[in-house]
């Protein structure tokens, strides 16, 4: 993120709260990811769930990424933006019949299937439409992502994926299905993963499982290792671009596949996370008995991550004061969890001063809601200023 405080006077003219997106940083980020995979058979699908605003998607598409979708509407949006159907993966534990029919009609790259029952239903629907569904089996690898429990997905207690112990049975059954083409296997261990050794563990599992599939005569064309690469929420100004080279090297160095498969990645947060900030204004300063509160005009309705996952987004102030004070920064919503941070030192702030919550480009605006009949939150792009 550029030095945001340079926009102070322009931001003062805009109704707060709003999301600000630095498209130059987004382009640098996609560029760094592309550089890290150049000359390999690696393909990146951008996970729309992280941020599906048109300018973000257009840029990501222009940069040559595919799309990773988790609903029929995301598939539709990706197609509207211009992603080719054969670059679209469709995941999710609860795809509806309507979504399956739509995606089958569009001829997407693969349904990432999460249960035997889902595969049966897709086979039936495809049969009714006279089509064959390309699928990847999402396997639960039982690899710990060592992240917040609410964004861990690859453990046996999670609802995601087919368990390894069921695989023999599943493969046998699928072999009898006329309208299913198993193209690949898929994993996703969780999100905001910082310890890259977890991906090494995933590679070791993937090596074993690809072997198992080949030993059963199943010809795969790809391995999809999901997403999850974490970003630096503590010091985003120093580390605006995630460590893509280190991340992809783990896969280059640890995947040992007998046959060369295409390797697909589904990255969301690491692409769009650092380019966005939530800009909010101080409404009131409340000096309490034990604490001082900055009451701001954005709340958990605009950025839910702190309330939902105890996530911390670095807060910077535009106040310009050299005096510091300790504040809890809280929103206007009638919930005690509507708090962005507690006991942080910030420049002394007054009514009307702006604050920015950094690293909010992923899972920020997309998770906004209207609780308390809040207004829709608008997006401002660096190219608008
Ligand atoms: N692929 C699958 C199958 C996923 O479930 C996800 C994220 C991704 C890819 C993209 O993961 P990423 O690269 O963005 O970590 N709302 C939470 C994050 C939920 C992630 C859900 N799945 C948060 O605010 O931290």
């Amino acid at each position: 993120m550029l030095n945001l405080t340079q926009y102070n006077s322009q931001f003062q003219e805009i109704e707060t709260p709003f999301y600000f997106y630095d498209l130059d940083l987004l382009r640098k980020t996609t560029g760094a990811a592309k550089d890290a995979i150049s000359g390999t058979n690696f393909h990146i699908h951008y996970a729309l769930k992280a941020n599906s605003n048109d300018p973000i998607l257009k840029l990501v598409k222009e940069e040559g990424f595919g799309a990773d979708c988790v609903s029929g509407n995301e598939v539709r949006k990706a197609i509207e933006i211009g992603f080719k159907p054969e670059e679209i993966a469709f995941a999710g534990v609860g795809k509806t019949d309507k979504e399956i029919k739509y995606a089958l009609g569009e001829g997407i790259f693969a349904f990432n299937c999460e249960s035997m029952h889902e595969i049966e239903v897709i086979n039936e629907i495809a049969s009714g439409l006279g089509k064959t569904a390309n699928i990847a089996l999402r396997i639960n690898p039982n690899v710990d992502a060592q992240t917040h429990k609410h964004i861990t997905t690859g453990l046996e207690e999670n609802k995601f994926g087919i368990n390894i112990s069921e695989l023999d049975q599943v493969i046998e059954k699928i072999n009898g299905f006329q309208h299913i083409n198993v193209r690949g296997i898929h994993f996703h261990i969780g999100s905001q993963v910082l310890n890259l050794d977890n991906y090494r563990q995933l590679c070791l599992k993937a090596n074993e499982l690809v072997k198992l599939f080949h030993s059963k005569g199943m010809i795969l064309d790809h391995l999809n290792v999901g997403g999850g690469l974490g970003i630096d929420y503590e010091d985003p100004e120093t580390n605006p671009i995630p460590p893509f080279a280190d991340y992809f090297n783990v896969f280059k160095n640890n995947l040992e596949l007998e046959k060369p498969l295409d390797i697909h990645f589904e990255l969301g947060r690491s692409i769009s996370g650092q380019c966005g900030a939530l800009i909010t204004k101080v409404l009131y300063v409340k000096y309490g008995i034990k604490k001082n509160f900055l009451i701001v005009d954005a709340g958990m309705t605009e950025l839910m991550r702190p309330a939902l996952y105890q996530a911390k987004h670095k807060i910077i102030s535009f106040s310009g004061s050299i005096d510091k004070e300790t504040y809890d920064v809280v929103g206007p919503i009638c919930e005690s969890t509507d708090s962005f941070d507690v006991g942080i030192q910030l420049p002394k702030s007054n009514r009307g001063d702006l604050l920015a919550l950094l690293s909010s480009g992923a899972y920020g605006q997309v998770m906004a809601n209207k609780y308390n009949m809040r207004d829709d939150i608008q997006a401002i792009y660096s190219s608008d200023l």
Side-chain angles (χ1 to χ4, degrees):
M1 178 71 60
L2 296 169
N3 176 12
L4 270 185
T5 48
Q6 67 173 315
Y7 293 115
N8 194 14
S9 58
Q10 282 157 296
F11 283 177
Q12 288 290 349
E13 305 295 312
I14 303 168
E15 190 181 348
T16 52
F18 61 91
Y19 273 96
F20 174 73
Y21 296 100
D22 177 350
L23 296 179
D24 294 326
L25 177 57
L26 179 61
R27 193 167 287 106
K28 283 194 189 120
T29 308
T30 51
K34 274 195 330 192
D35 284 350
I37 60 166
S38 84
T40 66
N41 55 345
F42 290 4
H43 304 272
I44 305 173
H45 297 251
Y46 170 65
L48 268 76
K49 66 169 85 64
N51 187 312
S52 47
N53 291 3
D54 285 8
I56 308 255
L57 294 183
K58 282 183 184 149
L59 190 153
V60 166
K61 197 227 130 228
E62 276 163 22
E63 290 287 280
F65 291 54
D68 166 45
C69 301
V70 285
S71 69
N73 289 342
E74 283 191 359
V75 175
R76 186 169 293 106
K77 169 62 99 177
I79 289 173
E80 270 166 27
I81 293 288
F83 289 93
K84 296 197 189 80
E86 62 268 27
E87 295 169 338
I88 299 176
F90 181 13
V93 289
K95 302 176 192 78
T96 64
D97 294 18
K98 184 172 151 197
E99 291 174 317
I100 294 168
K101 279 183 195 150
Y102 169 66
L104 267 173
E106 293 295 338
I108 60 165
F109 166 66
F111 290 87
N112 292 335
C113 294
E114 309 241 6
S115 65
M116 189 59 235
H117 199 178
E118 180 193 336
I119 301 168
E120 283 168 18
V121 169
I122 294 181
N123 183 52
E124 257 172 51
I125 295 178
S127 160
L129 296 173
K131 292 192 177 285
T132 298
N134 291 322
I135 71 163
L137 294 185
R138 176 167 181 179
I139 300 171
N140 184 333
N142 200 23
V143 169
D144 190 354
Q146 294 177 300
T147 183
H148 191 277
K149 65 176 189 307
H150 291 165
I151 50 176
T152 288
T153 49
L155 291 178
E156 277 169 359
E157 68 242 41
N158 299 130
K159 70 179 174 185
F160 301 98
I162 297 165
N163 289 316
I164 294 177
S165 55
E166 296 170 78
L167 268 184
D168 282 344
Q169 226 186 330
V170 167
I171 293 173
E172 204 182 301
K173 210 160 177 192
I174 290 178
N175 279 334
F177 288 162
Q178 302 298 311
H179 295 270
I180 294 289
N181 173 29
V182 181
R183 294 185 66 169
I185 53 179
H186 172 242
F187 304 97
H188 174 72
I189 58 172
S191 197
Q192 184 53 15
V193 178
L194 292 172
N195 181 354
L196 295 181
D197 193 59
N198 298 319
Y199 288 113
R200 192 179 63 83
Q201 302 295 341
L202 174 64
C203 288
L204 303 181
K205 273 279 161 63
N207 291 342
E208 263 176 48
L209 290 169
V210 169
K211 244 193 217 142
L212 173 85
F213 275 77
H214 285 165
S215 74
K216 293 189 177 281
M218 296 193 79
I219 316 289
L220 306 176
D221 64 29
H222 74 272
L223 168 67
N224 182 336
V225 292
L229 173 62
I231 61 173
D232 191 344
Y233 282 100
E234 282 169 28
D235 194 1
E237 289 139 306
T238 310
N239 296 311
I241 300 195
F244 289 117
D246 295 344
Y247 168 72
F248 288 113
N249 276 337
V250 173
F251 295 91
K252 287 179 195 166
N253 296 334
N254 294 288
L255 282 177
E256 285 172 8
L257 309 172
E258 299 155 329
K259 292 186 197 137
L261 299 184
D262 282 333
I263 312 297
H264 290 250
F265 296 82
E266 301 171 336
L267 297 177
R269 186 190 320 262
S270 54
I271 301 295
S272 60
Q274 296 291 25
C275 77
L278 174 61
I279 312 296
T280 182
K281 200 170 261 177
V282 175
L283 290 173
Y284 305 106
V285 186
K286 180 165 159 181
Y287 291 98
I289 297 166
K290 291 193 170 160
K291 289 181 163 235
N292 303 323
F293 295 96
L294 286 184
I295 301 166
V296 298
D297 63 2
M300 62 193 283
T301 39
E302 285 70 45
L303 181 62
M304 202 196 266
R305 303 191 68 258
L308 203 54
Y309 317 112
Q310 300 77 49
K312 292 228 186 286
H313 287 256
K314 185 168 179 188
I315 300 178
I316 59 166
S317 160
F318 293 61
S319 98
S321 169
I322 48 168
D323 298 328
K324 301 262 176 179
E325 274 190 343
T326 301
Y327 300 107
D328 281 14
V329 178
V330 300
I333 307 301
C334 300
E335 296 275 345
S336 299
T337 50
D338 184 29
S339 165
F340 289 125
D341 213 339
V342 292
I344 54 164
Q345 279 238 316
L346 286 174
K348 187 171 165 43
S349 301
N350 293 302
R351 174 172 168 80
D353 287 341
L354 294 175
L355 300 180
L357 286 102
L358 303 183
S359 316
S360 304
Y363 308 111
Q365 198 177 352
V366 278
M367 292 173 72
N369 64 77
K370 301 182 78 76
Y371 181 44
N372 287 196
M373 287 186 80
R374 301 280 288 171
D375 288 333
D376 279 332
I377 183 157
Q378 61 168 332
I380 303 289
Y381 300 89
S382 48
S383 53
D384 300 334
L385 299 177

